[in-house]
Amino acid sequence: MTAFTTSHLQCGRYRLPISGDAFRPIVMGVLNVTPDSFSDGGQFAVLDGALSHAERMIADGVDIIDIGGESTRPGAPPVSIDDELRRIMPVIYALRDCGKPLSVDTRRPRVMREALAAGADMINDIEGFRDPDSLAAVSDSDCALCIMHMKGDPQTMQRAPHYDDLFAEVRDFLLERAAEAERLGIRRQRLCVDPGYGFGKTVEHNLRLLAWQAELQQAIGLPLLAGLSRKSTIGHLTGKPVEQRMAGSVGAALVAAMNGARIVRVHDVAETVDALKVWDAARRAR
């Protein structure tokens, strides 16, 4: 088992266990408040719908709610900062006392600052906090940071991505960004990493990273978040359209958990929580 410097991830107002006998993978539920998300575009763009979905995820056993106001599917155009804020801020204000940590999926420093001021507990940045202002935006809080690897940007990332050494390139990027965060005074207990499944990777790249996930986490020494839910790799492997990828996504979450993931980011919270309970019980029975 990977040895971390702490048994918990500091996530704003919360301390989330990432190791120990009682640990099971943390389930992060996706709450997209965008009209064009690849998996549930428009379903939760209205506040009432977003809050109802969040309440359902809480009842289903979610551990973190990840709120996103900009679609980052392949080919997606960027949205304005004002539009992103208009989408997410009412949701953060409405949910900040829901009893669960709130993560905000954003790459904009201004959005990070305003989300944290409103009560967010985690910032999930697909660009790995490469914007020079991003780490400054989060450094003075206790929020958790999810540092993700992405090759290219959402508009270009799936145009024949190539790696000379996939494992080394992803590892070295995540190590470098984590080291920069620590250099700026951000405690290691606040950091987790995401290899960026589907972000500048082919199906083969995703499968190889999934197979090497435990080694990647060990090499970096930080808890790893795996987000494979409903992505095109699941569709490629199962032959199913996005709305029929629940079973494949749950299977991917289980494989990620078996390969050491401390957090799984999913759309199907109830099914994933139940599957992890069964897997965890069988693991403990040994």
Side-chain angles (χ1 to χ4, degrees):
M1 179 174 289
T2 302
F4 300 119
T5 56
T6 177
S7 61
H8 290 77
L9 175 69
Q10 182 64 46
C11 190
R13 299 163 291 171
Y14 302 84
R15 295 176 73 240
L16 304 178
I18 56 170
S19 63
D21 293 340
F23 171 79
R24 71 153 176 81
I26 294 163
V27 175
M28 172 185 276
V30 177
L31 181 57
N32 287 321
V33 287
T34 60
D36 56 349
S37 169
F38 83 96
S39 64
D40 48 18
Q43 289 189 51
F44 313 121
V46 177
L47 182 60
D48 286 349
L51 299 184
S52 294
H53 186 59
E55 290 170 1
R56 185 160 56 252
M57 289 196 291
I58 292 169
D60 289 340
V62 78
D63 299 303
I64 305 174
I65 298 173
D66 190 41
I67 303 164
E70 179 188 30
S71 175
T72 53
R73 74 188 192 284
V79 303
S80 72
I81 292 176
D82 288 340
D83 279 347
E84 187 178 356
L85 287 168
R86 178 179 53 80
R87 292 170 180 176
I88 68 169
M89 295 304 288
V91 181
I92 297 171
Y93 283 123
L95 292 176
R96 61 184 174 182
D97 295 320
C98 72
K100 299 292 181 181
L102 301 181
S103 169
V104 173
D105 185 350
T106 185
R107 50 184 171 159
R108 272 75 174 267
R110 179 183 157 198
V111 177
M112 295 177 189
R113 288 190 178 93
E114 297 202 25
L116 291 172
D121 300 286
M122 182 175 189
I123 300 295
N124 181 12
D125 183 1
I126 64 168
E127 293 185 347
F129 297 89
R130 283 179 289 168
D131 186 309
D133 294 329
S134 293
L135 290 174
V138 301
S139 61
D140 291 335
S141 79
D142 272 336
C143 74
L145 284 63
C146 182
I147 301 170
M148 198 191 84
H149 176 275
M150 174 175 62
K151 193 177 186 75
D153 58 51
Q155 291 184 286
T156 65
M157 62 189 180
Q158 291 306 105
R159 297 177 187 171
H162 170 78
Y163 297 85
D164 292 326
D165 187 330
L166 173 66
F167 183 91
E169 290 180 44
V170 173
R171 176 200 63 202
D172 291 351
F173 172 83
L174 295 173
L175 281 170
E176 184 274 327
R177 298 312 302 153
E180 179 65 9
E182 290 189 89
R183 187 185 72 79
L184 294 178
I186 296 171
R187 293 178 298 130
R188 195 169 180 83
Q189 290 85 349
R190 293 172 53 194
L191 304 178
C192 65
V193 295
D194 180 346
Y197 293 111
F199 285 82
K201 281 96 175 171
T202 64
V203 172
E204 181 184 359
H205 292 149
N206 291 325
L207 292 175
R208 287 164 61 194
L209 282 173
L210 185 58
W212 296 337
Q213 190 182 262
E215 290 82 357
L216 183 65
Q217 182 172 248
Q218 186 170 22
I220 298 169
L222 291 170
L224 186 145
L225 182 152
L228 290 142
S229 181
R230 299 189 188 176
K231 290 185 175 176
S232 59
T233 292
I234 306 299
H236 176 86
L237 296 174
T238 64
K240 299 292 179 62
V242 65
E243 66 273 10
Q244 296 177 23
R245 294 177 188 168
M246 184 269 288
S249 298
V250 172
L254 284 175
V255 174
M258 292 170 64
N259 288 349
R262 287 342 195 228
I263 307 170
V264 290
R265 183 179 182 274
V266 305
H267 297 85
D268 304 291
V269 170
E271 294 82 359
T272 304
V273 168
D274 285 352
L276 287 172
K277 285 178 179 178
V278 174
W279 168 72
D280 190 50
R283 180 184 60 161
R284 293 176 190 281
R286 295 187 63 183

